Amino acid sequence: MDKELQQIATEVESLSAKLKALKKEIGKVIIGQEETVSQLLITFLAGGHALLEGVPGLAKTLMIRTLANAIDLKFKRIQFTPDLMPSDIIGTEILEEDHSTGKKFFKFNKGPIFSNIILADEINRTPPKTQAALLEAMQEFEVTYGDKTYPLDRPFFILATQNPIEQSGTFVLPEAQQDRFLLYIKIGYPTETEETEILKATTGRTKVQLNKVISGEDIIRLQQLVRDVSISDGLIKYVSDVIRATRPDTTPIDYVKDWVDWGAGPRAGQAMILTAKAHALLEGRLAVSLEDLKSVAVPVLRHRVLVNFRAEAEGISSDEVTRHILKTVQLKEK
């Protein structure tokens, strides 16, 4: 058993070096935003999907494109617009003719969803009908058209962006679909130093050459290793306590009862544990700590805890509710 653990530790060390190289490649183009990049990598390692929100000009699209360009996987960008149809994403059948027999038949032409990394740009610009076309792919990693089901290549990631400040011509993602995203990542403004570096790096003639430093097979192996990262029963109970504390009908916290309409479901606990495991692995560790769980709690619960109208009027967000819960719920050591 010790020999097996040693082999895993050696493999983790090798793959961790590739993850560091991936971060370095992204850093050639993206200045700052280390936390956002780490959360994107956590999403990849945990085998989920991410929703990125930020005002225009914060390099959301560039960040995802840069990440995809540094990984040896197929990448497609879909620009979501009000007139985009589900068939524009999934694909459609076309009528073809067999030249040898003259017989006509329908052939399924695969859409851009049949790639490894999908950038769903401005996902809130398309109606719910088209947004829902992603649901089966996100959850089941397959697409059904007519009476046939087509498996998607693995690994498979959907990274969606949305703009929070412009509501004209947008369609808010339904809560049930938001729950399919492992993390809801909010991108903030750069610091003063970072902004100066951005201006210096993007207004000259220098072009950055990105290298593909990690393969799809490496990503799949990392996803397997994430499942092998250990977590104690005490920490699992802590996650359960945190998730149950978000629900007004089961919480012991008055703050939650006052400001929350709906708490998180069981998928939130699964997401919290998986992303904490990915966070630990990203740092080269094979065991989850309390800090791993706390570091991922906010992006995991951001879209799964729904505050009430009074909270919105008072400017109280789900992030503040989550931080209050993390301060209140204590780890119970056995």
Side-chain angles (χ1 to χ4, degrees), residues 110-135:
K110 294 180 178 180
I113 196 74
F114 288 89
S115 293
N116 299 110
I117 303 174
I118 308 295
L119 167 55
D121 215 0
E122 295 189 290
I123 193 172
N124 58 334
R125 289 237 173 251
T126 202
K129 173 183 177 182
T130 305
Q131 292 172 356
L134 297 174
L135 283 176

Side-chain angles (χ1 to χ4, degrees), residues 8-27:
I8 291 175
T10 303
E11 191 174 11
V12 167
E13 186 178 349
S14 172
L15 291 171
S16 293
K18 291 188 177 183
L19 287 173
K20 287 177 183 176
L22 179 57
K23 276 189 171 184
K24 188 175 179 180
E25 287 299 305
I26 295 169

Side-chain angles (χ1 to χ4, degrees), residues 60 75-76 107 131 171 200:
K60 299 184 296 296
F75 168 71
K76 287 288 174 65
K107 178 185 176 184
Q131 292 172 356
F171 303 85
K200 191 185 299 182

Side-chain angles (χ1 to χ4, degrees), residues 194-214:
E194 289 169 352
E195 191 146 10
T196 303
E197 288 298 313
I198 290 168
L199 296 175
K200 191 185 299 182
T202 57
T203 55
R205 294 172 63 97
T206 306
K207 286 189 177 181
V208 175
Q209 180 66 42
L210 289 176
N211 302 307
K212 295 188 183 296
V213 295
I214 193 167

